[in-house]
Amino acid sequence: MIPVTPNLLIIDDDPDVLLAAKLLLKRHYPQIKTENDPYRLNRILKQDHYHVVLLDMNFRAGASNGAEGLRWMRKILRQSPRSHVILMTAYGDIELAVRAMKEGASDFVVKPWKNDRLLESVKAALEDPKDDVEAEGEGGAGEKKADFGKIIGRSAAMQQVFETIEKVGRTDVNVLILGENGTGKELIARALHQASPRQEEVFVNVDLGAIPESLFESELFGHKKGAFTDAREDRAGRFEHAQNGTLFLDEIGNLSMPLQAKLLTALQSREIVRVGTNQPIPVDIRLVCATNMPLYKMVGDHRFRQDLLYRINTVELKLPPLRERNGDIQPLAEHYLDLYAAKYNKGEMELAADTVRKLQRYQWPGNIRELQHAMERAVIMSDARVLHPRDFMLQPVETPVSVEEPDNYNLEEREKSAIRDAILKHNGNLSRAAKELGLGRTTLYRKLSKYGL
């Protein structure tokens, strides 16, 4: 459904292009803003919402590879996820078009455009339900799709995570999130909450690793006044605070065996008893747990209760480390670059191409948290608008990538995985991916269609 008064933004460094596009579109859409400097985008998008943004792909003299356009498109979609971006370029390239569409472009128009083609592209974007705030989910009235707006993840590994969240989020099953430190487990837990029927209720986050053993029962189950020395008043525990909502127990692998038994009892009975009383209190919660510890090995070592593990892991969700999400490193880095450039009043900043390559080669043992801190440090210390490799003091010894036994030896699955990895490695450049795979471009296109990539 086309908005009653659609708002359009055209960004191009050529004044003739701006004038021609505005004259053409003004006859159909009266609200149009033009801009020749993409570095003003941040301020422009804060001032107003634009249903469609027509964006040039090359701004620097002599540039023709479209990298600038893709970078600015990513910034637009991060800041204004409901906007549609139509990319414009004087250099028609099927590879570039494929990459642009995969990264979120609504369409790809070659300059000089045909008027009917440009009008059709804008009309199609405006009719997309992405712009209709009232639009219902694909599942019918009242059903809402999970909102992943705060989670940056275009890699195949993260798309699988999103798919799991959408399937599991609308149920009430217990979920166990597994992943290394710094992979964003709490963010995923919150996404599960937002995808659930309990999304309007409270989300309670408990770091079990930070609770002293002596205070465990009081913190989780509450206590009655006078139950112990410092119990000066009746107090509800985290289970009660999470009533009708989601209870997120982070670092559950840190619990001692006695505390595991107490937690299991509460989960089995769906009741808690405040310290100092004998009165059971029914609780209705959705339970999400997380850990970076090897729970199955701990069960074998008798350090984690098997019955508790089975209780909390109706569905397991494994978060990939950042080293397995190479295609997400650049958008994550650009996200934190924008965040900290604004926080420290540095103005618009960007990453040099060789900086991106350095960040993508690094193994990130601290995962997203390490990348975030690296970007903040670089922004603070740099006096330039462009960040170069020398601005990043990464660990000198890179963590080697472990070689694991493949999940299966099915040739089609392994070929599909190899194609996906090659495309991610070369940032969507299909010619380079085909060369690395030992395939011709035509063969690669055929296989992309075959596997639905």
Side-chain angles (χ1 to χ4, degrees), residues 314-333:
T314 306
V315 173
E316 279 183 18
L317 203 162
K318 296 181 180 178
L319 280 186
L322 189 54
R323 62 181 173 274
E324 294 178 8
R325 298 172 51 188
N326 193 267
D328 292 334
I329 291 175
Q330 182 175 355
L332 279 165

Side-chain angles (χ1 to χ4, degrees), residues 68-262:
E68 286 180 289
L70 292 176
R71 180 168 64 82
W72 288 116
M73 178 186 74
R74 287 192 288 265
K75 289 194 174 187
I76 292 169
L77 293 177
R78 283 201 304 272
Q79 190 169 344
S80 181
R82 287 173 47 235
S83 296
H84 290 273
V85 179
I86 298 173
L87 293 172
M88 306 183 297
T89 180
Y91 304 92
D93 185 330
I94 186 64
E95 250 180 63
L96 190 57
V98 169
R99 181 179 175 189
M101 300 298 279
K102 282 187 175 182
E103 293 208 22
S106 294
D107 207 349
F108 185 91
V109 176
V110 178
K111 297 186 290 187
W113 58 75
K114 294 182 179 178
N115 290 347
D116 289 346
R117 170 74 178 86
L118 184 60
L119 287 169
E120 179 186 332
S121 179
V122 172
K123 183 173 182 289
L126 289 169
E127 289 177 343
D128 192 306
K130 176 180 180 181
D131 270 310
D132 187 359
V133 179
E134 303 284 325
E136 295 170 347
E138 294 178 1
E143 181 178 335
K144 296 183 180 179
K145 291 174 73 79
D147 178 12
F148 305 119
K150 292 184 179 180
I151 307 176
I152 297 171
R154 301 189 184 98
S155 64
M158 285 305 294
Q159 292 304 312
Q160 291 179 0
V161 170
F162 294 157
E163 185 177 336
T164 301
I165 293 173
E166 291 219 60
K167 289 179 179 177
V168 176
R170 51 180 173 258
T171 74
D172 241 3
V173 299
N174 296 338
V175 179
L176 174 62
I177 304 172
L178 301 173
E180 297 177 8
N181 280 333
T183 50
K185 295 187 286 294
E186 181 185 343
L187 207 56
I188 296 299
R190 290 184 182 276
L192 283 165
H193 176 69
Q194 288 301 318
S196 77
R198 300 173 184 262
Q199 61 181 269
E200 301 300 328
E201 303 294 339
V202 66
F203 175 92
V204 176
N205 179 6
V206 185
D207 182 356
L208 295 177
I211 299 177
E213 190 157 338
S214 60
L215 296 179
F216 175 82
E217 287 184 273
S218 173
E219 284 291 324
L220 264 68
F221 309 140
H223 61 251
K224 182 178 175 58
K225 180 180 178 180
F228 49 88
T229 303
D230 292 326
R232 297 184 177 89
E233 59 185 359
D234 289 354
R235 181 185 174 193
R238 305 297 182 89
F239 269 82
E240 286 184 76
H241 284 307
Q243 189 74 274
N244 300 320
T246 298
L247 179 63
F248 175 48
L249 300 181
D250 199 4
E251 303 301 345
I252 194 168
N254 289 329
L255 287 184
S256 67
M257 293 293 277
L259 297 186
Q260 292 175 33
K262 292 175 181 179

Side-chain angles (χ1 to χ4, degrees), residues 119 141 272 290 322 331 343 364 389 440:
L119 287 169
I272 56 96
L322 189 54
K343 179 178 179 180
W364 299 107

Side-chain angles (χ1 to χ4, degrees), residues 258-293:
L259 297 186
Q260 292 175 33
K262 292 175 181 179
L263 176 60
L264 178 62
T265 299
L267 295 178
Q268 286 176 331
S269 65
R270 290 284 170 175
E271 293 179 338
I272 56 96
V273 178
R274 289 187 180 183
V275 178
T277 74
N278 294 316
Q279 181 65 40
I281 301 174
V283 288
D284 176 15
I285 60 159
R286 200 279 176 79
L287 181 69
V288 180
C289 300
T291 184
N292 64 338
M293 300 176 73

